Amino acid sequence: PGPRMESLPEAVLIRILASIPAVDLVLACRLVCCQWKSLVDGTALWILKCQQEGLTGAESQENTENWQNFYFLSKKKKNLIRNPCGEDDLQHWGEVENGGDGWKIEELPGDFGKEFPSEEVHKYFVTSYEWCRKAQVIDLRAEGYWEELMDTTQPKIVARDWYAGRSDAGCLYELCVKLLSENEDVVAEYKSETVAIPQDNDASWTEISHTFSNYGPGVRFVRFEHGGQDTLFWKGWYGVRVTSSSVTVEP
């Protein structure tokens, strides 16, 4: 008979375990024996898995305290906003306020507009001559971010949005993002100033972002709301344009 697993040098055992899917490591391998539990709960195994899958960078190596959480957060990272660019009309956007002639979806660059910095974005939402607002509420548990992770690790929650005006019309823009508890009480909130874009602007796209950190335990939902209007009160869709909205949970 060959050598038993427990007789293998720890470095060799870590390399063997690193080839196993992460979920199986946590749910099965750590239950095998005390040694395996120690390795799965330790740092070296997860640093190796991160290196093997290209998840490490200069920033993460300096700041990471829990490499297991870093691994899972990196693998799960995605935009939690659905239909961020209007490809599915207003689907997934709730609490819609349709002031004036309401929201409209247009193709980039649009009249008196500019192309978006990313070629992957093809459409945008545009507002009218009275306030138009729309929102999404993200259920973090449904997206796979478990309660202990949110309460203990409190990973960064980053909200981003892009807005622009037409070059022939002035407009207003606002963004409000709230972190909500189980009962939808506000744990933390970011509200932008009301951005005023003057008439005869250059129609360039501007990114706005906010990072939530050290927000305390209890966060279960993220509510993302944005909107605006034109300042000339022209019938039609001369208000602010928005697209490529995102909410990400990051290591």
Side-chain angles (χ1 to χ4, degrees):
R4 296 171 61 87
M5 288 285 285
E6 58 265 29
S7 67
L8 292 174
E10 188 172 280
V12 175
L13 184 54
I14 286 174
R15 288 198 167 273
I16 294 172
L17 290 174
S19 66
I20 297 172
V23 173
D24 294 332
L25 285 173
V26 174
L27 297 182
C29 293
R30 71 187 301 273
L31 304 179
V32 170
C33 63
C34 291
Q35 182 190 23
W36 284 31
K37 180 179 184 299
S38 176
L39 293 178
V40 173
D41 290 345
T43 298
L45 171 60
W46 295 101
I47 290 178
L48 180 57
K49 283 192 74 66
C50 287
Q51 291 172 340
Q52 289 175 340
E53 299 184 36
L55 300 179
T56 59
E59 295 179 356
S60 65
Q61 291 186 41
E62 290 180 5
N63 300 323
T64 299
E65 295 180 2
N66 187 320
W67 280 86
Q68 183 180 137
N69 283 347
F70 176 86
Y71 176 87
F72 281 107
L73 287 168
S74 298
K75 294 289 285 186
K76 291 177 66 64
K77 183 180 174 181
K78 65 176 182 177
N79 185 3
L80 301 177
I81 292 285
R82 300 186 179 186
N83 186 27
C85 304
E87 295 291 346
D88 299 316
D89 198 49
L90 283 170
Q91 188 175 351
H92 303 298
W93 292 96
E95 304 177 50
V96 177
E97 180 181 342
N98 281 308
D101 288 322
W103 286 97
K104 185 183 179 184
I105 290 88
E106 295 180 344
E107 297 273 351
L108 280 157
D111 293 339
F112 296 90
K114 284 189 176 179
E115 290 288 357
F116 192 75
S118 169
E119 294 181 356
E120 297 178 357
V121 179
H122 305 289
K123 295 183 178 182
Y124 59 83
F125 303 91
V126 58
T127 59
S128 190
Y129 58 87
E130 291 180 352
W131 271 97
C132 298
R133 292 183 174 89
K134 58 187 177 70
Q136 280 192 41
V137 177
I138 299 162
D139 184 336
L140 293 171
R141 284 174 299 190
E143 296 291 346
Y145 299 99
W146 57 99
E147 295 182 1
E148 182 182 359
L149 175 72
M150 298 308 302
D151 293 347
T152 304
T153 302
Q154 294 176 33
K156 292 181 293 185
I157 299 175
V158 182
R160 296 183 176 89
D161 203 16
W162 287 83
Y163 65 88
R166 293 171 55 117
S167 62
D168 64 340
C171 59
L172 303 175
Y173 166 83
E174 288 182 358
L175 171 66
C176 181
V177 185
K178 298 178 181 179
L179 307 187
L180 305 177
S181 70
E182 177 75 32
N183 299 320
E184 299 195 5
D185 297 321
V186 178
V187 177
E189 178 178 6
Y190 167 76
K191 188 171 184 179
S192 73
E193 61 180 355
T194 301
V195 178
I197 300 175
Q199 192 175 8
D200 300 321
N201 66 88
D202 65 2
S204 62
W205 287 93
T206 299
E207 184 184 33
I208 183 173
S209 67
H210 179 75
T211 299
F212 294 95
S213 60
N214 300 317
Y215 39 77
V219 173
R220 301 292 178 263
F221 302 94
V222 180
R223 185 181 186 277
F224 181 103
E225 178 187 296
H226 62 181
Q229 67 171 101
D230 78 31
T231 53
L232 301 174
F233 303 98
W234 288 348
K235 182 172 176 59
W237 297 274
Y238 294 85
V240 73
R241 300 166 170 185
V242 294
T243 194
S244 198
S245 309
S246 67
V247 170
T248 54
V249 179
E250 304 187 0

